[in-house]
């Protein structure tokens, strides 16, 4: 395992501060904390970000999320453990994260629309964009997984 390359918080505090500003907004935007961490975990799996996978797995466990739902996340489409709203958010997360064709399809948008208000969809999109940025920062810096500790006073999973 390669050592951490650099610490973004220390070397580029303005970038880190801006990213933390996005996180502050997301945690007060009205989307459920559990849903936010679920989509962050899924995007991190897709991007292969070990640090963020570790972080959001721990955050979800601190919120009371079950191991079964966490282990099933890679196969969420075939697993019965997720609500329709969560499924819509996960589909949106995958579409926004995997822009191989240069766009998010109209079919995915139509599937998500019944489960989220316009504001919620904008916030969900912002959350996906934010975790994708965090993933790229952590992967590039080779941030060491396993060091993150979840907050002790967490809200229940939503």
């Amino acid at each position: 395992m390669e050592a951490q390359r650099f610490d973004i918080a220390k070397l580029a505090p303005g970038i880190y501060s801006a990213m933390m500003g996005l996180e502050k907004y997301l945690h007060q935007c009205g989307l459920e904390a559990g849903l936010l961490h679920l989509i962050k975990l899924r995007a991190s799996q897709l991007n292969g970000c070990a640090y963020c996978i570790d972080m959001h797995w721990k955050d979800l466990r601190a919120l009371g999320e079950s191991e079964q739902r966490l282990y099933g996340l890679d196969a969420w489409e075939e697993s019965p453990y997720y609500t329709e709203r969560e499924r819509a958010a996960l589909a949106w997360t995958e579409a926004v994260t995997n822009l191989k064709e240069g766009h998010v399809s109209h079919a995915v948008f139509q599937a998500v629309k019944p489960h989220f208000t316009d504001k919620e969809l904008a916030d969900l999109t912002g959350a996906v964009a934010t975790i994708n940025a965090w993933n790229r920062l952590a992967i590039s810096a080779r941030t060491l997984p396993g060091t993150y500790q979840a907050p002790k006073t967490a809200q229940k999973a939503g």
Side-chain angles (χ1 to χ4, degrees):
M1 167 93 189
E2 187 177 328
Q4 183 166 324
R5 292 175 176 161
F6 56 86
D7 184 336
I8 196 82
K10 289 181 183 172
L11 297 174
I15 291 171
Y16 187 78
S17 178
M19 292 297 295
M20 291 308 292
L22 289 168
E23 288 297 331
K24 181 179 177 182
Y25 172 81
L26 291 171
H27 288 283
Q28 62 80 37
C29 74
L31 290 174
E32 308 93 293
L35 180 67
L36 283 170
H37 286 298
L38 197 65
I39 64 109
K40 289 176 180 183
L41 177 56
R42 184 64 190 129
S44 299
Q45 289 174 331
L46 294 170
N47 290 323
C49 183
Y51 182 83
C52 294
I53 290 169
D54 177 66
M55 172 187 277
H56 297 295
W57 189 288
K58 288 174 179 174
D59 285 337
L60 282 159
R61 289 296 294 142
L63 291 172
E65 190 59 76
S66 74
E67 291 289 327
Q68 185 177 46
R69 281 172 40 97
L70 293 173
Y71 289 128
L73 189 57
D74 273 334
W76 65 267
E77 290 177 282
E78 291 80 32
S79 300
Y81 323 124
Y82 309 98
T83 67
E84 290 304 311
R85 180 174 166 90
E86 289 169 334
R87 290 176 182 286
L90 291 166
W92 188 254
T93 298
E94 290 187 4
V96 172
T97 298
N98 294 325
L99 293 174
K100 295 174 190 154
E101 296 177 27
H103 65 279
V104 175
S105 76
H106 188 65
V108 173
F109 174 72
Q110 289 301 102
V112 164
K113 198 72 175 102
H115 302 283
F116 292 89
T117 66
D118 289 345
K119 181 193 179 307
E120 287 175 329
L121 187 54
D123 288 338
L124 182 64
T125 305
V128 175
T130 301
I131 190 56
N132 275 281
W134 278 121
N135 288 167
R136 280 144 181 81
L137 291 168
I139 290 168
S140 299
R142 297 250 192 249
T143 306
L144 184 64
T147 59
Y148 175 79
Q149 297 296 313
K152 301 284 186 232
T153 55
Q155 302 170 353
K156 281 290 186 195

